[in-house]
Amino acid sequence: MSNDNPTEESVNLDSYEPAQGPKHGFFERLYTGTGGFPIVSRRKFFYTLSAVLLLISLLSIGVRGFTLGIDFEGGSRIQIPAAEGVTTQEVEDVYSQALGHGPVSVQKVGSGEAATIQVRSETLNLEQIEQLQTALYDEFQPKDSSGQVSRNAISIAEISETWGGQITQKALIALAVFVLLTMIYIAIRFERDMSIAAIVSLFFNLFVTAGIYSLVGFEVTPAAVIGLLTILGYVLYDNVVVFDKVEENTRGVLHLNKRTYAEQANLAANQTLMRSISTTVIGILPIIGMLVIAVWLLGVGTLKDLALVQLVGMIVGAYSSIFLAVPVLVSIKERWGPVAAHTKKVLDKRAGVGVGARVPVGATAARGPRPTDGRAPRPGSRPSGKRQQRRH
């Protein structure tokens, strides 16, 4: 006679799918946050995507490096009023003819009567400054604030390499202190595994944002560093919101056998997904506006640098807090601790492992003689004897 009881098999914790609920449309699932998106069960895909983004960013940082602004690298900054018809290419041509080499960068800043053309170059000596100022004055006849043609309308500022090195050192120290304080706060605020996942998300955001900045080639200015610090604060805030929901959903889950820790964490990620998208969209709209105004209307370099790092950082931060931090947390929980055993127990129960043979619908189970050997009855069995009558 064949044994209908299923045998116990090992369960692959990375391959299971959460229990399927009613079918809903994409936007309905997104809006209601009913757990319809398999974020945790597709963690390998998100790990691969994150690894590719991180690899590209690190390669760009290592190969291309960063275009450091004059505040960090030192040099000379020449400003000339942008009279009507004067273009950046004409200014660059005059610079090259006067000094025999090209400038580092030439850009138009501001609009209307306040518009100026800024030239950044390597550090110039007094003779080179005199030659350049004379060439620019003779070619463009710039006017000062009073409307008079004046040589003094051309301003030249020198930033020493020593001062730029000090600014670089202070910026790196500020970044390191901020990251350290953030890690301390995360370690205190969350449990150990959540702290590790949040720190992974934080460093992922830091390197990917820096890598994209390197790829685009924008100058790294103090405004960009300030924007990066701001973005790391946003990532921390997003992680706190997501992990608060994960903590709420998974509280006491190990004492229940209906849902796994991964399914509850996936539900929390879905419930906070719409909030993260809404917050990110609302946050990047003014940043996009600032970027458009800075690039096409005002030409303000500091606004452009600040807007780019915030735009990239907010998008990457929203991605990392949902699609990286939560899967990393679940992976840590399932590898170390009681979550793996609980997950296997829940999945075994769903598969019917260890619960005995199931009687087909319509069949009658054969009744055998009750045990009379004095052993304790099976758990859940009905009493076999009559209850004693209450004596009055």
Side-chain angles (χ1 to χ4, degrees):
M1 181 175 180
S2 62
N3 183 11
D4 294 334
N5 290 338
T7 57
E8 184 176 356
E9 297 179 354
S10 61
V11 180
N12 184 0
L13 302 181
D14 289 331
S15 62
Y16 71 89
E17 294 289 339
Q20 298 295 326
K23 298 293 184 180
H24 298 288
F26 175 83
F27 291 103
E28 183 178 1
R29 287 182 293 158
L30 181 64
Y31 180 76
T32 58
T34 52
F37 297 102
I39 296 173
V40 173
S41 60
R42 298 192 63 192
R43 73 187 85 168
K44 290 184 179 179
F45 167 77
F46 294 114
Y47 288 162
T48 303
L49 178 60
S50 301
V52 170
L53 292 175
L54 186 61
L55 179 61
I56 293 174
S57 301
L58 293 177
L59 286 176
S60 177
I61 294 174
V63 176
R64 290 175 55 91
F66 297 103
T67 304
L68 297 178
I70 192 173
D71 297 293
F72 293 105
E73 204 169 32
S76 300
R77 179 188 291 124
I78 302 98
Q79 288 185 325
I80 179 173
E84 186 176 354
V86 178
T87 64
T88 56
Q89 185 60 49
E90 292 175 343
V91 174
E92 184 175 352
D93 292 340
V94 172
Y95 179 99
S96 301
Q97 293 173 4
L99 300 182
H101 60 82
V104 175
S105 65
V106 181
Q107 62 179 349
K108 186 176 181 179
V109 177
S111 60
E113 296 181 356
T116 61
I117 294 180
Q118 288 187 357
V119 181
R120 180 195 160 194
S121 71
E122 61 185 21
T123 304
L124 305 177
N125 55 39
L126 293 177
E127 182 180 354
Q128 290 174 321
I129 291 175
E130 182 68 23
Q131 291 177 357
L132 179 59
Q133 196 171 26
T134 301
L136 292 174
Y137 176 77
D138 294 339
E139 180 69 24
F140 301 112
Q141 295 293 301
K143 297 180 180 179
D144 57 18
S145 58
S146 62
Q148 302 295 322
V149 176
S150 173
R151 183 186 180 93
N152 294 328
I154 304 172
S155 64
I156 300 179
E158 297 293 329
I159 306 227
S160 67
E161 295 182 2
T162 302
W163 190 82
Q166 293 175 352
I167 291 296
T168 303
Q169 184 180 10
K170 291 180 179 179
L172 293 177
I173 292 175
L175 182 61
V177 169
F178 181 88
V179 172
L180 179 61
L181 292 178
T182 300
M183 292 173 62
I184 293 175
Y185 172 79
I186 290 174
I188 297 174
R189 174 64 179 81
F190 297 123
E191 54 157 323
R192 181 200 63 187
D193 298 336
M194 285 187 178
S195 300
I196 296 173
I199 291 172
V200 169
S201 173
L202 184 72
F203 277 97
F204 173 82
N205 189 272
L206 174 64
F207 285 114
V208 172
T209 302
I212 294 177
Y213 210 87
S214 171
L215 280 172
V216 174
F218 278 17
E219 287 188 353
V220 179
T221 63
V225 176
I226 294 172
L228 184 60
L229 297 178
T230 305
I231 288 306
L232 294 180
Y234 169 80
V235 175
L236 174 62
Y237 158 76
D238 216 26
N239 282 333
V240 169
V241 173
V242 175
F243 282 159
D244 272 345
K245 194 62 180 178
V246 173
E247 192 174 30
E248 177 185 340
N249 285 7
T250 58
R251 188 177 297 117
V253 70
L254 298 183
H255 302 290
L256 304 174
N257 293 326
K258 292 183 178 181
R259 297 179 70 89
T260 66
Y261 185 95
E263 290 171 348
Q264 290 296 91
N266 187 79
L267 177 61
N270 277 264
Q271 290 172 335
T272 54
L273 179 59
M274 188 62 196
R275 185 211 61 83
S276 294
I277 293 176
S278 301
T279 304
T280 303
V281 171
I282 293 174
I284 67 175
L285 284 178
I287 295 175
I288 292 175
M290 183 169 63
L291 188 61
V292 170
I293 293 174
V295 174
W296 281 285
L297 298 181
L298 300 180
V300 180
T302 54
L303 284 181
K304 179 180 64 177
D305 302 335
L306 178 63
L308 177 66
V309 71
Q310 288 186 334
L311 177 64
V312 174
M314 289 192 70
I315 295 175
V316 176
Y319 165 81
S320 64
S321 62
I322 296 290
F323 299 98
L324 181 62
V326 176
V328 167
L329 171 64
V330 174
S331 295
I332 296 174
K333 288 288 187 182
E334 289 184 345
R335 184 169 295 273
W336 295 283
V339 172
H342 174 263
T343 300
K344 186 176 184 301
K345 180 180 178 181
V346 173
L347 299 182
D348 284 349
K349 182 179 179 181
R350 290 180 187 172
V353 176
V355 298
R358 296 181 179 178
V359 179
V361 177
T364 302
R367 295 183 178 179
R370 294 189 179 98
T372 59
D373 56 358
R375 290 180 299 177
R378 291 177 302 163
S381 62
R382 291 187 175 184
S384 59
K386 294 183 179 180
R387 297 178 180 177
Q388 294 182 353
Q389 299 290 337
R390 294 185 60 186
R391 297 181 179 180
H392 299 283

